[in-house]
Amino acid sequence: MSPSPITEFSLNQDGHLLLIAGPCVLETRELAFHIAEQLCNIASRHPVQLVFKASFDKANRTSIHSYRGLGLEDGLKLLDAVRSEFGVPVTTDLHESHQAAAVGQVCDILQIPAFLARQTDLLVAAAETGKAVNVKKGQFMAPWDMKHVVEKLKEAGAKQTFLTERGTFFGYGRLVNDMRALIEMRSLGVPVVYDATHSVQEPGGLGSQTGGNRAMVPPLAMAAAAVGIDGLFLETHPDPDKSPSDGPNMVPLSELETLVQRVLAVRAAAQG
């Protein structure tokens, strides 16, 4: 299956894998800059189009006491600083319609969380910024139902839409990946991204926190590459076990380049 073009956003890097990577949530300027620098170094050595990702607010944490981030104003200032310092596109997720305009002033891609994939007002507000919109498929949605998401964004004037697969709820506490979803969503005429780190989440698996199994990230990422993806989403941290959010499913920063190399090799083989 040949890749769908991401022509407008790929900045003429035709055929390159879109790599959306960064920490789950913004913590400090020093940490964000360190991760961004390492990611840019990796991107300079491989055929990828890097987008730095980090959340200014994790509004859907399991516990009310969990760390949520820097907030909209300070978070966007830091994302803008990363963008300016490293010359790299940035993205973040938004949870409410009124946040879209501010996020659109800084970010190159606006990300819609999976739990909010059906929220029409949020989708319309994101589309109206004129920026690319990446929607994560709801864990409760069939891949073919994402056609309604694509239609909403198109009707609202979105210039560019991506869809991201991040697993489907299976019973309690685990997610399962049906790789056929990648093919089915790509048939909607939009590029498809695979979120390898959120796919190994175990929601509520640590009681008041989300658990996960990062050991499963590489095999799932390579499986998705074999099926055919246009982009890969990976959350990473120098010390995931000390991250205040999603540590169990994040890739250690020191291991990220090896994983990217393996995924690119599989993708190249699949493309013939």
Side-chain angles (χ1 to χ4, degrees):
M1 182 172 59
S2 60
S4 301
I6 311 180
T7 52
E8 181 178 342
F9 189 75
S10 67
L11 306 178
N12 298 319
Q13 296 190 39
D14 187 35
H16 284 197
L17 180 73
L18 182 67
L19 177 63
I20 303 174
C24 176
V25 63
L26 289 167
E27 299 176 52
T28 66
R29 180 185 179 94
E30 292 73 21
L31 181 63
F33 273 39
H34 172 67
I35 295 174
E37 181 179 24
Q38 296 304 309
L39 291 174
C40 287
N41 289 338
I42 292 171
S44 71
R45 295 190 286 267
H46 302 285
V48 298
Q49 165 67 62
L50 174 66
V51 177
F52 178 85
K53 177 272 166 188
S55 298
F56 62 81
D57 178 26
K58 303 300 293 185
N60 58 351
R61 298 301 306 274
T62 301
S63 170
I64 195 170
H65 302 294
S66 297
Y67 176 76
R68 288 182 51 169
L70 300 180
L72 179 65
E73 183 175 351
D74 289 342
L76 289 179
K77 284 181 180 178
L78 182 49
L79 286 170
D80 193 39
V82 169
R83 192 177 191 273
S84 299
E85 178 71 18
F86 298 97
V88 61
V90 298
T91 186
T92 193
D93 38 8
L94 59 154
H95 299 85
E96 300 183 54
S97 302
H98 68 80
Q99 297 172 337
V103 174
Q105 290 294 315
V106 173
C107 294
D108 303 270
I109 301 176
L110 277 64
Q111 180 175 290
I112 307 299
F115 282 123
L116 302 178
R118 288 172 54 95
Q119 297 298 315
T120 301
D121 289 346
L122 183 60
L123 293 170
V124 170
E128 289 178 344
T129 66
K131 298 298 181 70
V133 181
N134 177 30
V135 185
K136 292 195 170 185
K137 179 179 73 64
Q139 302 95 323
F140 47 86
M141 294 177 67
W144 47 86
D145 287 334
M146 291 299 286
K147 68 180 179 181
H148 303 298
V149 172
V150 174
E151 289 171 358
K152 288 177 183 180
L153 289 167
K154 183 178 180 180
E155 287 293 322
K159 295 181 178 179
Q160 199 168 18
T161 297
F162 310 145
L163 296 179
T164 294
E165 167 62 24
R166 54 138 306 153
T168 301
F169 280 129
F170 179 73
Y172 294 98
R174 294 195 71 176
L175 296 171
V176 64
N177 279 262
D178 179 356
M179 294 300 177
R180 294 174 296 181
L182 297 168
I183 299 171
E184 290 166 338
M185 290 198 295
R186 184 181 271 175
S187 72
L188 301 177
V190 296
V192 171
V193 179
Y194 181 68
D195 181 346
T197 45
H198 285 98
S199 289
V200 302
Q201 274 187 338
E202 296 174 358
L206 298 178
S208 62
Q209 298 179 19
T210 291
N213 182 4
R214 70 173 68 99
M216 297 304 296
V217 170
L220 286 174
M222 289 187 289
V227 171
I229 52 174
D230 308 293
L232 180 66
F233 182 105
L234 294 168
E235 288 187 337
T236 185
H237 192 282
D239 190 350
D241 292 332
K242 292 184 179 179
S243 170
S245 178
D246 280 357
N249 50 268
M250 283 203 284
V251 178
L253 187 58
S254 61
E255 300 175 13
L256 189 73
E257 183 165 16
T258 297
L259 175 55
V260 169
Q261 288 176 310
R262 295 171 71 186
V263 168
L264 289 171
V266 172
R267 185 170 182 258
Q271 292 175 0

